[in-house]
CSV table of all heavy atoms in Angstrom, one decimal:
chain,number,residue,atom,x,y,z
A,188,HIS,N,-1.1,15.5,2.1
A,188,HIS,CA,-2.0,16.2,1.2
A,188,HIS,C,-3.2,17.0,1.8
A,188,HIS,O,-3.8,17.7,1.2
A,188,HIS,CB,-2.4,15.5,-0.1
A,188,HIS,CG,-3.4,14.2,0.3
A,188,HIS,ND1,-2.8,13.1,1.0
A,188,HIS,CD2,-4.7,14.1,0.1
A,188,HIS,CE1,-4.0,12.3,1.2
A,188,HIS,NE2,-5.0,12.9,0.7
A,189,LYS,N,-3.5,16.5,3.0
A,189,LYS,CA,-4.7,17.0,3.7
A,189,LYS,C,-4.3,18.4,4.3
A,189,LYS,O,-5.3,19.2,4.8
A,189,LYS,CB,-5.1,16.2,4.8
A,189,LYS,CG,-5.4,14.7,4.3
A,189,LYS,CD,-7.0,14.7,3.8
A,189,LYS,CE,-7.3,13.3,3.5
A,189,LYS,NZ,-8.5,13.1,2.8
A,190,ARG,N,-3.0,18.7,4.3
A,190,ARG,CA,-2.5,20.0,4.8
A,190,ARG,C,-3.1,20.2,6.1
A,190,ARG,O,-3.7,21.4,6.5
A,190,ARG,CB,-2.8,21.1,3.9
A,190,ARG,CG,-2.1,21.0,2.5
A,190,ARG,CD,-0.6,21.5,2.8
A,190,ARG,NE,0.1,21.4,1.6
A,190,ARG,CZ,1.4,20.8,1.5
A,190,ARG,NH1,1.8,20.2,2.6
A,190,ARG,NH2,2.1,20.8,0.4
A,191,LEU,N,-2.9,19.4,7.0
A,191,LEU,CA,-3.4,19.5,8.3
A,191,LEU,C,-2.7,20.7,9.2
A,191,LEU,O,-3.3,21.3,10.0
A,191,LEU,CB,-3.4,18.3,9.1
A,191,LEU,CG,-4.4,17.1,8.7
A,191,LEU,CD1,-4.1,15.9,9.4
A,191,LEU,CD2,-5.8,17.6,8.9
A,192,GLU,N,-1.4,21.0,8.7
A,192,GLU,CA,-0.7,22.1,9.3
A,192,GLU,C,-1.5,23.5,9.2
A,192,GLU,O,-1.7,24.3,10.0
A,192,GLU,CB,0.7,22.3,8.8
A,192,GLU,CG,0.9,22.5,7.2
A,192,GLU,CD,1.0,21.3,6.4
A,192,GLU,OE1,0.3,20.4,6.8
A,192,GLU,OE2,1.5,21.2,5.4
A,193,ASP,N,-2.2,23.6,7.8
A,193,ASP,CA,-3.0,24.7,7.7
A,193,ASP,C,-4.2,24.8,8.7
A,193,ASP,O,-4.6,25.8,9.1
A,193,ASP,CB,-3.5,24.7,6.2
A,193,ASP,CG,-2.4,25.1,5.2
A,193,ASP,OD1,-1.4,25.7,5.5
A,193,ASP,OD2,-2.5,24.5,4.1
A,194,CYS,N,-4.8,23.6,8.8
A,194,CYS,CA,-5.9,23.6,9.8
A,194,CYS,C,-5.5,24.0,11.1
A,194,CYS,O,-6.2,24.7,11.8
A,194,CYS,CB,-6.5,22.1,9.8
A,194,CYS,SG,-7.2,21.6,8.3
A,195,LEU,N,-4.2,23.7,11.6
A,195,LEU,CA,-3.7,24.0,12.9
A,195,LEU,C,-3.6,25.5,12.9
A,195,LEU,O,-3.8,26.0,14.0
A,195,LEU,CB,-2.4,23.3,13.0
A,195,LEU,CG,-2.5,21.8,13.4
A,195,LEU,CD1,-1.1,21.1,13.6
A,195,LEU,CD2,-3.5,21.5,14.7
A,196,PHE,N,-3.1,26.2,11.8
A,196,PHE,CA,-2.9,27.6,11.8
A,196,PHE,C,-4.3,28.3,11.9
A,196,PHE,O,-4.4,29.2,12.8
A,196,PHE,CB,-2.3,28.1,10.5
A,196,PHE,CG,-0.9,27.5,10.4
A,196,PHE,CD1,-0.3,27.1,9.2
A,196,PHE,CD2,0.0,27.5,11.4
A,196,PHE,CE1,0.9,26.7,8.9
A,196,PHE,CE2,1.3,27.1,11.4
A,196,PHE,CZ,1.7,26.7,10.1
A,197,VAL,N,-5.2,27.8,11.3
A,197,VAL,CA,-6.7,28.4,11.4
A,197,VAL,C,-7.1,28.2,12.8
A,197,VAL,O,-7.6,29.2,13.4
A,197,VAL,CB,-7.6,27.6,10.4
A,197,VAL,CG1,-9.2,28.0,10.7
A,197,VAL,CG2,-7.2,27.9,9.0
A,198,PHE,N,-7.0,27.0,13.3
A,198,PHE,CA,-7.4,26.7,14.7
A,198,PHE,C,-6.8,27.6,15.7
A,198,PHE,O,-7.3,28.2,16.7
A,198,PHE,CB,-7.4,25.3,15.2
A,198,PHE,CG,-7.8,25.1,16.6
A,198,PHE,CD1,-9.2,25.2,16.9
A,198,PHE,CD2,-7.0,24.7,17.6
A,198,PHE,CE1,-9.7,25.1,18.2
A,198,PHE,CE2,-7.5,24.5,18.8
A,198,PHE,CZ,-8.8,24.6,19.1
A,199,ASP,N,-5.4,27.8,15.5
A,199,ASP,CA,-4.6,28.6,16.5
A,199,ASP,C,-5.2,30.1,16.6
A,199,ASP,O,-5.3,30.7,17.6
A,199,ASP,CB,-3.2,28.6,16.0
A,199,ASP,CG,-2.3,29.4,17.0
A,199,ASP,OD1,-2.0,29.0,18.1
A,199,ASP,OD2,-1.9,30.5,16.5
Side-chain angles (χ1 to χ4, degrees):
Chain A
H188 66 284
K189 303 277 181 188
R190 288 286 180 233
L191 293 172
E192 62 272 28
D193 289 329
C194 293
L195 289 174
F196 295 142
V197 169
F198 179 65
D199 181 74

